[in-house]
Amino acid sequence: MPNASTDNRVTWTILELVRWTTDYFRDNGLDSARSEAEILLAHALGLRRIDLYLNHDKPLGPDERAVFKNLIRRRLSGEPVAYLTGTKEFWSLELAVNPAVLIPRPETECLVEAVLPFLETETGVAKRVLDMGTGSGAIIIALAHECPGHRYFAMDRSMDALVTARRNARTHGLEARIDWFCGNWDAALAPQRARFDLIVSNPPYIRSAEIDELQPEVRDHEPRPALDGSPDGLAGLRHIIEMAHCHLNDGGVLALEMGYDQATALQTIADAVGQYTPPRIIKDYSGLDRVAVMTRNA
């Protein structure tokens, strides 16, 4: 970043720094250079992005510039913007994120959209909803926020992830609506007693060999266990499909996020289990297969 010692200027305004940083990020190969420059500068100054333009001619002091320079260095070293700011928006809700949890993706909102009609159907009885591998809590918090009349449960094998998820639920006034427990998939579920009307999950589904080909901010910074779906990418999906029917009430729904090229394999797994209706495949905002929804046979 330019400074007084290099160009004889004493101060730089907000707008000048946004422009400079945008060019610098673009020159270093960052695709979303302008938005990332704005997000990081707003974070450094404790402002909203819109406030940057309402205060575009405000000069930055040395301490503010030092904080911003550090964020620029860390971003160019590959750290994701969401980890630098500590937040990520999902379903119009601001969530805390950190290296213990996967950063929520827009395509995961398709999973939320897919199951809302089931929760919005009036039956007069509260449904029981389980989120397996909750991570930041994005899915279960979005569902509890939209449909508060049901009973919600969330599990993860990472205690650090659960701490983050509970913090997010508390931020949005939802902690009392969600029961949390630590466990690896169904290991913490009581056989024949833990029954749900809806099970949702965004399990790891990337093939192990493909992880090293991901963008550096994903490959080197996000938790690998939340990405690695085994050599064929299907281990988590397969396990959930094979066990979920044991914990679903008759007519209960299982909804899973999956890789764009895994629909056929997932349908084969579900058919082999023989406990579900044929999976309904839902595309994401890019037109790619992303969510599978199936119902437990009565």
Side-chain angles (χ1 to χ4, degrees), residues 18-28 33:
V18 167
R19 289 171 174 167
W20 184 90
T21 308
T22 298
D23 291 340
Y24 190 49
F25 279 173
R26 189 176 291 124
D27 291 344
N28 281 273

Side-chain angles (χ1 to χ4, degrees), residues 237-277:
L237 291 163
R238 183 182 294 110
H239 182 82
I240 294 171
I241 294 170
E242 290 178 347
M243 54 68 56
H245 65 91
C246 298
H247 299 284
L248 280 170
N249 291 319
D250 291 348
V253 172
L254 172 63
L256 302 168
E257 182 172 329
M258 63 182 180
Y260 71 93
D261 59 351
Q262 295 175 331
T264 299
L266 186 146
Q267 289 171 321
T268 300
I269 295 169
D271 289 345
V273 172
Q275 298 289 334
Y276 307 96
T277 59

Side-chain angles (χ1 to χ4, degrees), residues 95-277:
L95 302 178
V97 294
N98 54 58
V101 301
L102 198 68
I103 298 169
R105 267 64 169 179
E107 53 264 31
T108 302
E109 293 187 354
C110 298
L111 178 57
V112 175
E113 290 178 350
V115 301
L116 279 179
F118 176 72
L119 294 179
E120 291 169 345
T121 301
E122 294 292 340
T123 64
V125 178
K127 295 183 174 70
R128 292 166 55 88
V129 182
L130 170 65
D131 179 13
M132 303 190 75
T134 194
S136 67
I139 296 170
I140 202 72
I141 289 170
L143 294 176
H145 182 267
E146 292 296 318
C147 301
H150 302 296
R151 295 190 61 190
Y152 293 94
F153 304 82
M155 55 78 59
D156 202 288
R157 63 183 173 183
S158 166
M159 186 59 71
D160 289 338
L162 285 175
V163 169
T164 302
R166 293 189 67 171
R167 173 186 168 191
N168 285 325
R170 189 180 309 118
T171 296
H172 295 288
L174 298 170
E175 187 179 20
R177 297 182 187 169
I178 306 170
D179 290 322
W180 312 87
F181 56 98
C182 191
N184 190 21
W185 299 135
D186 58 321
L189 299 180
Q192 306 305 319
R193 291 193 342 188
R195 291 282 182 170
F196 304 92
D197 300 290
L198 171 64
I199 295 176
V200 295
S201 183
N202 176 18
Y205 55 72
I206 298 173
R207 296 173 182 85
S208 302
E210 295 176 357
I211 292 182
D212 288 338
E213 302 171 8
L214 298 175
Q215 294 175 309
E217 54 259 44
V218 178
R219 178 191 67 215
D220 299 334
H221 294 276
E222 296 198 59
R224 192 179 185 102
L227 299 168
D228 194 338
S230 76
D232 66 359
L234 297 169
L237 291 163
R238 183 182 294 110
H239 182 82
I240 294 171
I241 294 170
E242 290 178 347
M243 54 68 56
H245 65 91
C246 298
H247 299 284
L248 280 170
N249 291 319
D250 291 348
V253 172
L254 172 63
L256 302 168
E257 182 172 329
M258 63 182 180
Y260 71 93
D261 59 351
Q262 295 175 331
T264 299
L266 186 146
Q267 289 171 321
T268 300
I269 295 169
D271 289 345
V273 172
Q275 298 289 334
Y276 307 96
T277 59

